[in-house]
Amino acid sequence: MGFFTDFKILNSFFNEKNHSEQIIFYSETANDWQHLSGIILELLKKYDFKILYICSDKNDHGLKLDKDNFKSYLISNKHLLTWLFKNIKSKVMIMTLPDLNQYYLKRSKYPVHYIYVPHTLSSLHSIYRKRAFEYFDTLFCVGPHHIKEARRIEKMYNIRPKELIEYGYNKIDNLINEFKNFKKKKDDKINFLIAPTWGENCIINNGKVIGVIDHIIALKQNIILRPHPITVRNSSDILKKILSKYKSYKNFLYLPSTDNNLTLFQSDVLISDWSGVAFEFAFALKKPVLFVDTERKIKNVDYDKVGIESFEYSARTLVGEFFDSTKNYTLNNINTVDDKQIIENIFSVGRSAEVAIKYIYKLMNKK
């Protein structure tokens, strides 16, 4: 798509009437749909609000949704997006992209209420830049750790307090619902899913994945390698070497797509480093996770000043344990999370979309 195509779509967007009855969602990448879709579908089912869905990725599943009161717009040009954001008039705008008003996407000059929807269970003060949520009015929070972190950050920087909603995590709810109907094929072997994060310190790039794979081969178990999409794009040479090294092992499977949850359902144990999928796997499916320790990804230069350990660090021994190359793993000798621990760490399990639409309805009817 080019500038003029985007401009025509932008013009179509602003031809929409009755802005006070609209709810706008913004999706930067196709991955955002899995975090926003539950709220959108529940709103369409329960209420008559018009939903305008702006996305910047041609592969976004929201572009395929055909429902009354729902209209999608594909706009990727940054200059047009900047202008659009500044001139939005709707009462409520919902997004899963942090750093609002910090870069090219600014708050509107009109009184719009901005809601942030989490796209990971990770802490607010570690993998994000400092003050990444300052310009939102409401934060939907995954669990108690988000409440504690948000209030501490507000106090540190003297930021206006936000509405903090005990929302939960829609992706976990979706995984739980889908997994109920899944029937695994019988197999005597354990399916080990290797799903790391991306970047120079991930176990694929730093080479630690080799020791992991070698150990699973020694145990004569199944291996599924599912790299992060950014690793597939940026580290293809490294992946080619790994695939070449293990092509003769018949129980090795390479599945680079993260578009569906079938790989998670088929797997018995997940091996990761700092990927958020580890906690989704553990809390939704109650399956064990093995963590390979690597250098942490900290984007906030003031992380240590916040004085709270990050959830993704402290929860690793809650949902699993650290990978041990001397251990003969079975499905009965790895630590897993229990129901009580899930409820203590995740708000509104199974009800996140319901919590969200009730809050949005209240905002839309506020005079």
Side-chain angles (χ1 to χ4, degrees), residues 137-345:
D137 302 292
T138 295
L139 299 183
F140 283 177
C141 298
V142 164
H145 60 289
H146 277 179
I147 302 283
K148 185 178 180 182
E149 293 156 5
R151 292 301 183 221
R152 182 71 61 86
I153 292 167
E154 288 169 354
K155 187 174 181 181
M156 273 185 66
Y157 298 115
N158 195 26
I159 296 171
R160 173 178 57 87
K162 295 165 186 55
E163 288 280 340
L164 303 181
I165 305 301
E166 295 184 1
Y167 164 72
Y169 195 57
N170 191 244
K171 189 176 178 183
I172 280 181
D173 294 345
N174 292 338
L175 284 169
I176 291 172
N177 288 331
E178 289 181 38
F179 191 53
K180 288 176 183 176
N181 300 317
F182 174 76
K183 292 183 179 179
K184 186 186 173 187
K185 294 179 181 178
K186 289 185 178 180
D187 191 342
D188 293 334
K189 298 184 183 299
I190 299 172
N191 290 333
F192 284 87
L193 172 62
I194 303 174
T197 187
W198 60 276
E200 291 306 309
N201 292 320
C202 82
I203 59 174
I204 288 177
N205 288 59
N206 67 18
K208 288 189 176 184
V209 72
I210 301 299
V212 173
I213 295 173
D214 286 346
H215 185 57
I216 299 171
I217 289 176
L219 297 176
K220 298 180 180 179
Q221 304 296 347
N222 296 330
I223 301 167
I224 304 170
L225 178 63
R226 193 183 84 160
H228 192 282
I230 297 178
T231 303
V232 175
R233 187 168 66 244
N234 296 345
S235 304
S236 59
D237 290 345
I238 296 174
L239 286 170
K240 284 178 183 176
K241 289 178 182 178
I242 292 171
L243 297 179
S244 176
K245 180 178 175 65
Y246 297 107
K247 63 183 179 182
S248 62
Y249 185 62
K250 65 178 182 179
N251 295 321
F252 180 91
L253 186 62
Y254 177 62
L255 293 175
S257 175
T258 59
D259 277 351
N260 64 67
N261 298 319
L262 190 59
T263 307
L264 299 179
F265 298 159
Q266 291 172 333
S267 302
D268 301 302
V269 180
L270 186 140
I271 301 176
S272 190
D273 37 34
W274 294 101
S275 175
V277 73
F279 298 102
E280 295 163 6
F281 186 84
F283 284 110
L285 310 182
K286 290 187 280 190
K287 295 181 180 183
V289 178
L290 298 174
F291 293 94
V292 180
D293 210 15
T294 63
E295 189 175 338
R296 303 170 68 175
K297 292 196 301 182
I298 303 292
K299 285 189 177 180
N300 184 358
V301 295
D302 288 345
Y303 169 75
D304 290 337
K305 298 177 183 177
V306 177
I308 302 174
E309 188 53 86
S310 71
F311 178 80
E312 60 272 20
Y313 179 85
S314 59
R316 292 192 294 177
T317 52
L318 175 71
V319 304
E321 60 189 61
F322 289 100
F323 176 77
D324 182 349
S325 61
T326 67
K327 187 172 180 177
N328 182 13
Y329 287 108
T330 71
L331 293 182
N332 298 317
N333 68 354
I334 311 174
N335 180 47
T336 56
V337 70
D338 59 36
D339 289 337
K340 182 174 181 289
Q341 292 167 327
I342 294 171
I343 294 170
E344 288 174 347
N345 286 278

